[in-house]
Amino acid sequence: MNLTDIVQTRYSTKEFDATKQIPSEIFAQLKDLLRFSPSSVNSQPWHFIIADTDEGRKRISKGTQGLFAFNEAKVLNASHVILLCAKTQIDEEYLGHLLETEEKDGRFAQSTFKETVHKGRSMFVNMHRFDLKDAQHWMEKQVYLNMGTVLLGAGALGVDALPIEGVDTKTLNEEFGLLDKGYSAVALIALGYRKETDFNAALPKSRLPEEEIFTILP
C-alpha cells in the first residue's frame, strides 16, 4: 500500500452508481474506522446513523432538500450513507461512563492510573466547558477526525466517497430525534462506487505547492 497513490487517486465522488453496493465485509472495516478513530482525551463524543437501504437513504435525503437539493441524488444513489453526529454536552455521568469502559477494556495497568486518567481528561473537558465555553464546537471537531479517517480508509479499500456538509442539520435532528438523545447532526459521508459519467473522476488534483504549505524546521 502506498498512501501517496491513495490520496492522489481518491476524490470527492459526484455521481454514484445506484446498482453497485459495498460488500458487507468491506463496510465492516469502514465501521471499524469510525469506532476506532482517535479523539481528544479519548472523549469519543459521537454517534453514527448508517443507511444502506432505499428507505434509510430516503430518510437522510430529507436533509438535502431546498437549498441543498444538489446533494439529494448523491445520497439516494450511494451504497451507504453515514450521518455523523456530535454530543450536545459532555457531563460527569458521561466521563464516568468512559472511565468504566476503559477499565473494563483493561486500559489501567495499575489502579492509580484510573484516577490519573480521570483528572487529566476532566481538566481538558472542563477547560472547554467552563473556560473556553466551546465544548460543542470542540466535540464537533472530534467528529471530523472520523470523517478524515473514513475517507482515507475508503480510498485504501477501493470505495468511492463524498463528504457532505451541504445538508440541513436541523431537519435531520428532527427526523431522527437527535436532540432528545443528546446528539446533533454534523455532516454526512456518502459511500459507494462511481458512475462512468462522473465528471470529477477524471479531473486532475489541484493542491497548493509544498513550498507554500510546509515549513521545515532546521
Side-chain angles (χ1 to χ4, degrees):
M1 181 188 298
N2 185 308
L3 289 177
T4 299
D5 291 341
I6 293 169
V7 297
Q8 288 182 344
T9 55
R10 67 142 306 276
Y11 75 109
S12 292
T13 304
K14 302 301 183 180
E15 194 174 6
F16 288 99
D17 187 337
T19 68
K20 296 181 179 179
Q21 294 293 303
I22 300 171
S24 58
E25 64 272 17
I26 296 295
F27 190 74
Q29 295 181 61
L30 295 173
K31 281 178 62 182
D32 285 340
L33 292 178
L34 286 170
R35 184 177 174 217
F36 290 100
S37 175
S39 60
S40 179
V41 294
N42 200 29
S43 53
Q44 306 172 68
W46 48 53
H47 187 82
F48 310 101
I49 295 176
I50 297 170
D52 63 355
T53 65
D54 289 341
E55 181 182 359
R57 288 186 292 267
K58 188 68 176 177
R59 290 186 68 186
I60 290 182
S61 76
K62 292 180 181 180
T64 58
Q65 305 302 308
L67 180 64
F68 306 109
F70 59 90
N71 280 325
E72 182 178 21
K74 300 162 191 172
V75 169
L76 294 176
N77 293 330
S79 170
H80 292 63
V81 182
I82 302 169
L83 172 57
L84 297 93
C85 310
K87 288 182 68 64
T88 55
Q89 65 173 343
I90 186 164
D91 55 20
E92 295 305 317
E93 181 180 0
Y94 181 70
L95 292 179
H97 175 56
L98 287 173
L99 203 65
E100 295 308 315
T101 300
E102 289 168 333
E103 184 174 45
K104 183 179 66 176
D105 290 338
R107 290 285 295 172
F108 309 127
Q110 298 181 22
S111 59
T112 55
F113 292 174
K114 181 177 180 180
E115 183 61 25
T116 300
V117 167
H118 181 59
K119 287 181 178 179
R121 180 156 48 222
S122 295
M123 180 190 74
F124 281 101
V125 168
N126 289 333
M127 177 177 66
H128 288 285
R129 290 169 69 191
F130 305 123
D131 299 333
L132 300 175
K133 301 185 186 303
D134 68 344
Q136 180 66 38
H137 180 59
W138 176 70
M139 290 188 287
E140 290 176 357
K141 287 194 293 185
Q142 311 312 311
V143 173
Y144 277 89
L145 295 177
N146 296 97
M147 180 177 283
T149 299
V150 168
L151 293 177
L152 180 59
L157 292 168
V159 174
D160 293 314
L162 174 67
I164 302 175
E165 286 189 303
V167 65
D168 186 339
T169 55
K170 181 179 179 181
T171 294
L172 292 174
N173 284 341
E174 294 173 352
E175 173 66 20
F176 296 103
L178 289 172
L179 297 181
D180 290 338
K181 299 172 183 176
Y183 296 99
S184 181
V186 176
L188 305 176
I189 304 176
L191 297 150
Y193 299 100
R194 72 192 73 170
K195 287 189 73 171
E196 293 183 1
T197 52
D198 185 353
F199 74 91
N200 207 31
L203 294 179
K205 287 283 187 185
S206 178
R207 296 293 189 272
L208 295 173
E210 287 192 17
E211 58 269 21
E212 185 174 340
I213 66 169
F214 295 126
T215 296
I216 309 299
L217 298 178

